Every structure is written in C-alpha cells, then in structure tokens.
Amino acid sequence: MAKLAERLVENVAGEFYVDESCIDCATCRQIAPALYGHAEARGLSYVQRQPRGEEETRRALMALVACPTASIGTEHKVDVRPGIDAFPEPIAADVGDVLFCGFTDESSFGAWSWLVRRPGGNVLVDSPRPAGPLLRRIEALGGVRLHFLTHRDDVAEHETLHARFGTERVLHADDVSALTRGVERRLTGREPTRLADDLVAVPVPGHTRGSAALLYRDTFLFTGDHLWWSSEDGRLDASRSVCWWSWAEQLRSLERLLDLRFEWVLPGHGEPWRAASAAAMRAALERALVTLRRLR
C-alpha cells in the first residue's frame, strides 16, 4: 500500500497521491496522462492534477490498481472497484478483441500485457500481475490458450497463469532460463513462425538474444521491449541504453519489420500507437530507423 507519510512533495494537494516507492515505470502517466506527471529530475511519477468528475476519477483509480508497486494511494478510503472493473480494457473503442490487462507486475518493471480474444483460443502476450479480480475477468472472457512471452524480462509470474488456465507458453529458445525452462514451445532461428492462421511469431533479437514479436491479423504487432511509440518525440522509438544484447542486431531486426504489414504497435514499455494505415506505419518505421542508425 502507498504510505501517506511518504507522499511525494511534487504531488498537488488532494485525494490522490504517489509515494516514494515509485519506480518510474510510467504506467500511471500512460493510463491518465492529464492527472499524473513526470518529475524527471528524480525519476518519479506524481499527481499533477486531481481528477474532476466520474470519468477522470475512474482513470485515476485504474492507474492506482495497475501500478506495479502500489505507489498510488488516496488520503481517505475510496471504493477502487471502478478501477478494478475497467480491466482488461479494449485498446480502442472500435477494437474489441485486443485488451490491455492492467495490473502490471513489479518483477517486469511494470511491463504491459495484452489479451487477444479470438475464436481459436485467447492469447495472452506477456504477463500481468495475477490478481484475483483480473484472473476471474479473463476466465469469464474465455480464459487463455496461448501465452506468448516476448522475451525473458517480462515473464513475471507466468507459472501462476499457466496453472490457472492451462496455457501453452511460447518463448524463443535463446531467452529460456531457469525461470522459464518449463515453457511448452520454444521458438528457434530468426525466421517468422506461423502459430495459427492469424498469429505469426517474429524473432527480433537485439534487446535480448531471444526477443520476439507477435503479429496478429496483419494488424497488431506486440513488440515487447523491441519497439514502441514515443509521444514526447512523436515517433516510433527503441532504446540504445537498455539494449541488453546487441544494438546492431536490434537495428537489423527493426529493418526486417519493414517486410511485415501492421497498423498497431503494442509494446511492453512505452505507449501503444495506431498508424492511419499499414503504409503510414511503414513510413514511421523508416523515419525511426534513420534516427536510430545514428546511435551506433
């Protein structure tokens, strides 16, 4: 629980606050950007404006329950059910089959996970915190058949999810460790692997040796820590500073994405982004590569 005694001085006065346990994962800022700000000098999130009205309060509560370190609190006892009940949340009003799970996990530094609802069996991309209300909601939506793990960093409590839903876990062999040696399917090589008619696993080594993306319906690309949208720069981006294996390989992996057709980038960290078309996404990726190649 957040501690009122450790409330950040940056918070504005009012009901909601962030305390000193914040790890700066940015989840709250992405869920409710009007309410939560970034104290860059200290590397922390804080409440920059208190919510006004029912919808803003719901967004503030969604950030509260999604926070991986329980660093968001309220001065008084507040009913958090509107925040809990909001997850999994559709990523857009016109997209009902792809949902953000919320309930991020500290062990994956607040990485986002995604639920894909499909007739052939639901897919979970990376791992949320296995909170009871979320698991019950996922169960009501049809459970999980396939659990795609984009890389070794964001597996979180995958074993709990496997035990609950009987998932088939998929991870590239190059990222299997003692924590994931029980995965049912290990990807190999660097060529795309079709998992189903509407699902393609795409190896994207670089951030880690075994990083992989998942392409759904030639529209949605789940990228893990390989690629994301930066609203601050207004472009697709990748991080040289947190590339744990090979930046040269990560650039090559990004170049190979130009062979794919997709309109959404749904990352583990950073903001999801929807391009106006597949052609617009390709153009955005080409522009990003021009900038990223300079970071060699």
Side-chain angles (χ1 to χ4, degrees):
M1 285 182 67
K3 298 178 180 178
L4 186 57
E6 297 179 7
R7 178 178 182 147
L8 297 173
V9 297
E10 288 88 349
N11 291 297
V12 298
E15 187 68 58
F16 287 84
Y17 66 90
V18 179
D19 76 3
E20 294 282 353
S21 64
C22 174
I23 59 173
D24 199 24
C25 71
T27 291
C28 64
R29 304 197 302 268
Q30 292 165 12
I31 291 175
L35 307 179
Y36 297 94
H38 190 208
E40 293 187 35
R42 293 216 290 155
L44 297 166
S45 295
Y46 68 99
V47 176
Q48 64 182 357
R49 179 170 70 73
Q50 293 293 333
R52 303 166 187 156
E54 183 176 336
E55 177 56 21
E56 285 196 349
T57 298
R58 188 177 74 95
R59 299 304 298 184
L61 290 170
M62 288 172 65
L64 185 153
V65 301
C67 176
T69 49
S71 300
I72 302 174
T74 56
E75 290 186 351
H76 305 91
K77 188 174 181 179
V78 172
D79 182 4
V80 299
R81 283 178 296 178
I84 292 172
D85 293 345
F87 296 118
E89 179 190 33
I91 60 172
D94 62 336
V95 179
D97 55 342
V98 180
L99 305 95
F100 166 46
C101 291
F103 291 90
T104 64
D105 197 287
E106 184 176 7
S107 67
S108 57
F109 200 75
W112 286 26
S113 58
W114 312 93
L115 180 69
V116 180
R117 300 183 64 193
R118 49 191 292 278
N122 293 347
V123 177
L124 185 63
V125 182
D126 288 328
S127 300
R129 179 173 12 115
L134 175 65
L135 298 189
R136 289 190 291 273
R137 177 61 176 153
I138 290 175
E139 203 162 49
L141 292 173
V144 180
R145 179 177 179 183
L146 191 75
H147 189 179
F148 188 86
L149 302 168
T150 60
H151 65 299
R152 68 188 184 205
D153 298 341
D154 294 351
V155 300
E157 299 176 60
H158 67 97
E159 290 183 344
T160 300
L161 298 162
H162 173 68
R164 177 66 174 259
F165 298 113
T167 58
E168 179 186 9
R169 292 163 292 182
V170 181
L171 177 66
H172 198 284
D174 287 340
D175 263 20
V176 172
S177 68
L179 292 174
T180 51
R181 59 191 173 194
V183 298
E184 289 70 33
R185 183 167 183 176
R186 301 184 183 190
L187 303 171
T188 58
R190 297 189 179 181
E191 293 301 313
T193 299
R194 187 164 291 279
L195 304 178
D197 289 344
D198 54 354
L199 295 170
V200 179
V202 183
V204 285
H207 173 71
T208 63
R209 184 186 291 268
S211 289
L214 181 67
L215 179 63
Y216 171 55
R217 290 202 290 113
D218 290 334
T219 302
F220 305 92
L221 187 69
F222 301 92
T223 57
D225 289 356
H226 176 67
L227 176 70
W228 61 83
W229 174 259
S230 171
S231 60
E232 293 179 358
D233 298 329
R235 64 177 176 84
L236 290 172
D237 203 0
S239 176
R240 177 71 179 86
S241 63
V242 295
C243 179
W244 306 133
W245 184 58
S246 169
W247 181 244
E249 286 297 324
Q250 187 160 347
L251 289 175
R252 281 191 278 272
S253 294
L254 288 168
E255 289 165 355
R256 286 195 293 273
L257 293 184
L258 293 171
D259 295 332
L260 304 179
R261 183 188 187 282
F262 57 101
E263 298 174 11
W264 280 86
V265 165
L266 298 160
H269 297 283
E271 299 178 40
W273 182 60
R274 182 184 203 173
S277 64
M281 179 64 78
R282 179 186 172 88
L285 182 55
E286 289 174 336
R287 289 193 297 271
L289 278 163
V290 170
T291 300
L292 295 171
R293 289 185 185 114
R294 297 172 185 157
L295 303 180
R296 289 179 183 273

